[in-house]
Amino acid sequence: MASVLAREPFKVLPYALDSMRAFPNDPELSDEVTFILRSLTYYDNNNTKEIFEAGGIPLIVNALNMFKDKCSSDALGLVVNAVMSEDCSKELVKLGILEILVGFFDANLDVNDVGHIIGTLRNLATYQFVMPKFNEMKVTKRVLHQLSKTPNHEYIYEVVFGYLVNVLILAKKSDEAKEMAAHVLDRAIILAFEGILKPLTPEAHQNVCWFLEESIAW
């Protein structure tokens, strides 16, 4: 399957989306199809544009919204890839993706799924248009709370501080981002210094140090 997707992805895409349209309330089918779509965007993120143009974004939102106390790891991974596109991000936000993702924080999720959620928020935090919504929903406080819940998990450190770096960078040109960062900066700096003392992965350690460098400008 992987080699077919890599060679001729768009022969698969119409059938995948049509099956989701035909059976919108089937979680097993949804898992299978989101695996295929995630594979498409894994091999080439430009394929996200094709999914967008084929009307696939509402189907992705429906796939996530189908679950209440758990979520599909493949659907989350697909959303992480999809928000690399600003056009897809705008439609996802319009369709309520932030409310869905933040709502999953209250569910009993696998820590890697929590990482995918924060990774999605990290990628969205590069866009100025999401900042008012992030402020309204107190997204940054929720993200920091996840780090407090799993203080020794390397992947969570990596995505949380990647998120905070993006917020600080965006705060240089966005008043909303600046306001949001100001509310959590002191707490985040404490967590960053605690993180430096932990045996983190190189990627997580790099993001912690990058965050501290960006915070010096404040």
Side-chain angles (χ1 to χ4, degrees), residues 24-85:
N25 300 312
D26 186 332
E28 291 186 9
L29 174 70
S30 176
D31 271 347
E32 293 293 334
V33 174
T34 52
F35 168 77
I36 293 170
L37 297 180
R38 183 183 185 184
S39 299
L40 286 174
T41 55
Y42 176 81
Y43 285 112
D44 183 355
N45 196 253
N46 288 328
N47 291 341
T48 304
K49 178 182 177 183
E50 302 294 330
I51 295 172
F52 172 77
E53 292 180 349
I57 301 302
L59 300 174
I60 296 170
V61 173
N62 182 66
L64 276 176
N65 209 23
M66 198 179 299
F67 302 90
K68 299 302 178 186
D69 298 320
K70 62 186 181 113
C71 60
S72 161
S73 295
D74 284 316
L76 280 176
L78 173 57
V79 172
V80 172
N81 295 343
V83 297
M84 298 299 288
S85 158

Side-chain angles (χ1 to χ4, degrees), residues 83 85-86 88-94 97-99 120-140 163 166-167 170 174 176-177 180:
V83 297
S85 158
E86 186 168 359
C88 288
S89 296
K90 286 179 177 177
E91 184 166 359
L92 283 165
V93 170
K94 183 174 66 176
I97 195 66
L98 289 178
E99 289 81 358
T120 303
L121 297 171
R122 172 200 60 199
N123 294 346
L124 283 169
T126 61
Y127 304 123
Q128 191 167 341
F129 76 87
V130 304
M131 286 299 114
K133 194 76 172 177
F134 271 32
N135 262 332
E136 176 189 334
M137 297 178 63
K138 297 180 171 57
V139 167
T140 302
Y163 169 88
N166 285 347
V167 170
L170 195 58
S174 164
E176 291 96 345
M180 186 166 62

Side-chain angles (χ1 to χ4, degrees), residues 88-112:
C88 288
S89 296
K90 286 179 177 177
E91 184 166 359
L92 283 165
V93 170
K94 183 174 66 176
L95 293 172
I97 195 66
L98 289 178
E99 289 81 358
I100 295 170
L101 294 177
V102 171
F104 278 136
F105 281 149
D106 298 323
N108 185 27
L109 295 186
D110 178 88
V111 70
N112 289 315

Side-chain angles (χ1 to χ4, degrees), residues 163-172 181 185 211 214-215 218:
Y163 169 88
L164 291 170
V165 165
N166 285 347
V167 170
L168 288 181
I169 291 172
L170 195 58
K172 296 172 183 177
L185 193 62
F211 165 76
E214 288 291 336
S215 69
W218 287 67

